[in-house]
Amino acid sequence: MNKNLGTTEGSPVIKVAALIIIFGGVMYAKSIITPILLALFISIICAYPVSWLEKKKVPKGLALLIVILGIIVIFSGFAFLIGGALASFTSDVSKYASTLTNISNSFIQFLNAKGLKIPQDQLSTLIQPAKILKITAGALNELFSMVGNTFLIFLIFLFMIMEFGSFSVKAKAILSDSDESNAYFSTIIQNIRQYLGIKTLLCLLTGILIYVALWIIGVDYPLMWALIAALMSYIPHIGSIIAAFPAVLFALVQLGLGGALWTLGSFLFVNNVLGNFVEPRIMGKGLGLSTLVVFLSLIFWGFIFGTVGMFLSVPITMTIKIILENNEKTKWIAILLGTPTEAKKYLRHKELAKKQQEATS
């Protein structure tokens, strides 16, 4: 009887049911978990400058103070600049939305004049580009209202960054019976820090380049569109498309077709150069996700944590993938989450290991 009970407890159905219960609890407590996730995310990123300052012989306490003051200055500056731009954009969004609706109606009338006979009323209910600007403003308002709980996030971040150095010591104490477990834990932390650190620098570079390009073109609110581009750059493949769409529509309303094309070209150029040439060269191997997994993780973590989950979807999934690929028993799941290139590399490595084993025997 105990044997059957043990088999039932280890069955896939029980495991799936346990996961559903866990995720249900996470959704229920997302108001608490979301600030912790954001604080952890910021702490992992800020661990790099702290360690860099320590290597330059700066005392740990002073290094922490410098990084914390830097974070306060950066967040205060962005809150001041973007808050004003967002308030102005939100107040004017209805005007821009009505102009965009008129442009779309004129385009439909042009197509009808060419003999296509598109039912304007039905198409207008299905395709409403003016709503994109309203959705953009709503998403930004939700994000900043969440970040408005800055004090709680900052407190959690403050305690996390001060305790960050002790995590490795505690892990060694817990896993002291196995050197292999210590190496496994260290590899996971190192890979996560490397991914988040490099990705954050690339996102900042994306935002700066988009800001400069839109400022030269003359698009209003370039800082806000640059912020969206920087945040969406955490989502590979589809993040740049999501970021470009409202900016291009806004440029169409403000500057006309020429301005929209220049804006679209700027987004394509920046994201292609950084995404296809710069990032693969410095990111390293074993850190990619397939396009399908990126899209599904965006939907899943957005469903679990809302707008914040959408922005953190790839870092969270990437963390899970790194953990899985550092364990031989779960490496196959990491391969499913990864790109075909990674699967081919793993297959070649597996075949090479098999040939070496045959040669040795």
Side-chain angles (χ1 to χ4, degrees):
M1 184 174 180
N2 291 334
K3 184 177 180 181
N4 293 333
L5 181 60
T7 304
T8 304
E9 288 176 349
S11 67
V13 176
I14 298 297
K15 293 178 180 178
V16 171
L19 282 175
I20 293 173
I21 293 172
I22 291 171
F23 282 121
V26 168
M27 291 178 64
Y28 181 77
K30 70 178 181 180
S31 60
I32 300 174
I33 296 175
T34 300
I36 296 175
L37 273 178
L38 280 171
L40 178 62
F41 179 70
I42 298 170
S43 300
I44 292 174
I45 294 171
C46 291
Y48 260 120
V50 171
S51 61
W52 181 81
L53 289 171
E54 287 180 345
K55 289 178 182 178
K56 298 295 181 180
K57 309 300 182 183
V58 178
K60 183 178 180 180
L62 182 58
L64 284 171
L65 182 61
I66 292 172
V67 171
I68 290 170
L69 289 176
I71 289 294
I72 292 174
V73 170
I74 291 171
F75 269 77
S76 300
F78 269 100
F80 177 76
L81 293 173
I82 298 171
L86 182 61
S88 178
F89 175 75
T90 304
S91 62
D92 293 339
V93 71
S94 58
K95 178 183 68 176
Y96 293 122
S98 61
T99 305
L100 187 56
T101 301
N102 293 332
I103 292 174
S104 63
N105 291 336
S106 299
F107 181 67
I108 294 172
Q109 291 174 2
F110 170 77
L111 294 178
N112 287 335
K114 297 296 181 179
L116 293 179
K117 297 181 180 179
I118 299 174
Q120 185 169 344
D121 294 338
Q122 295 179 10
L123 194 63
S124 298
T125 56
L126 294 174
I127 304 173
Q128 301 183 42
K131 284 190 174 181
I132 296 172
L133 296 179
K134 293 182 179 179
I135 292 171
T136 303
L140 286 171
N141 276 320
E142 183 181 345
L143 178 64
F144 279 97
S145 65
M146 185 278 310
V147 177
N149 198 5
T150 311
F151 185 68
L152 176 61
I153 297 173
F154 178 74
L155 279 180
I156 299 171
F157 157 75
L158 189 64
F159 288 113
M160 277 187 176
I161 196 71
M162 289 191 296
E163 292 280 337
F164 223 76
S166 64
F167 288 160
S168 59
V169 178
K170 293 177 181 178
K172 288 179 181 178
I174 295 171
L175 305 172
S176 58
D177 58 330
S178 174
D179 293 334
E180 184 179 350
S181 298
N182 289 332
Y184 166 71
F185 182 81
S186 300
T187 302
I188 292 172
I189 295 297
Q190 183 179 357
N191 287 341
I192 293 172
R193 287 178 61 183
Q194 177 187 356
Y195 171 78
L196 289 179
I198 295 174
K199 192 67 179 177
T200 299
L201 291 176
L202 290 172
C203 291
L204 288 173
L205 182 59
T206 300
I208 292 170
L209 293 176
I210 291 295
Y211 172 80
V212 172
L214 297 184
W215 178 75
I216 292 173
I217 295 170
V219 180
D220 288 341
Y221 312 111
L223 186 62
M224 188 179 67
W225 305 122
L227 173 67
I228 296 175
L231 290 174
M232 286 298 176
S233 294
Y234 281 105
I235 307 172
H237 311 304
I238 60 176
S240 57
I241 300 173
I242 298 173
F245 207 50
V248 172
L249 284 175
F250 184 84
L252 177 65
V253 173
Q254 182 197 347
L255 303 174
L257 183 60
L261 291 176
W262 276 108
T263 302
L264 178 61
S266 300
F267 272 89
L268 291 175
F269 177 76
V270 171
N271 287 289
N272 275 320
V273 170
L274 294 181
N276 297 329
F277 295 100
V278 178
E279 184 172 343
R281 291 181 181 273
I282 65 176
M283 187 63 76
K285 63 180 181 179
L287 294 174
L289 293 171
S290 72
T291 307
L292 176 62
V293 171
V294 169
F295 183 70
L296 293 179
S297 67
L298 177 68
I299 296 173
F300 179 77
W301 294 114
F303 175 73
I304 297 293
F305 294 119
T307 305
V308 177
M310 294 175 67
F311 288 115
L312 298 182
S313 61
V314 170
I316 293 172
T317 309
M318 195 71 257
T319 302
I320 295 172
K321 178 177 177 287
I322 291 171
I323 294 172
L324 294 174
E325 70 184 2
N326 281 280
N327 189 329
E328 288 298 326
K329 293 181 180 179
T330 58
K331 196 167 187 176
W332 64 274
I333 304 177
I335 293 172
L336 288 176
L337 296 176
T339 60
T341 304
E342 289 183 353
K344 290 176 182 177
K345 288 181 180 179
Y346 179 74
L347 187 60
R348 286 196 297 267
H349 176 74
K350 196 174 180 180
E351 291 174 352
L352 182 61
K354 185 178 180 181
K355 288 180 182 178
Q356 290 177 349
Q357 186 179 4
E358 290 175 352
T360 306
S361 60

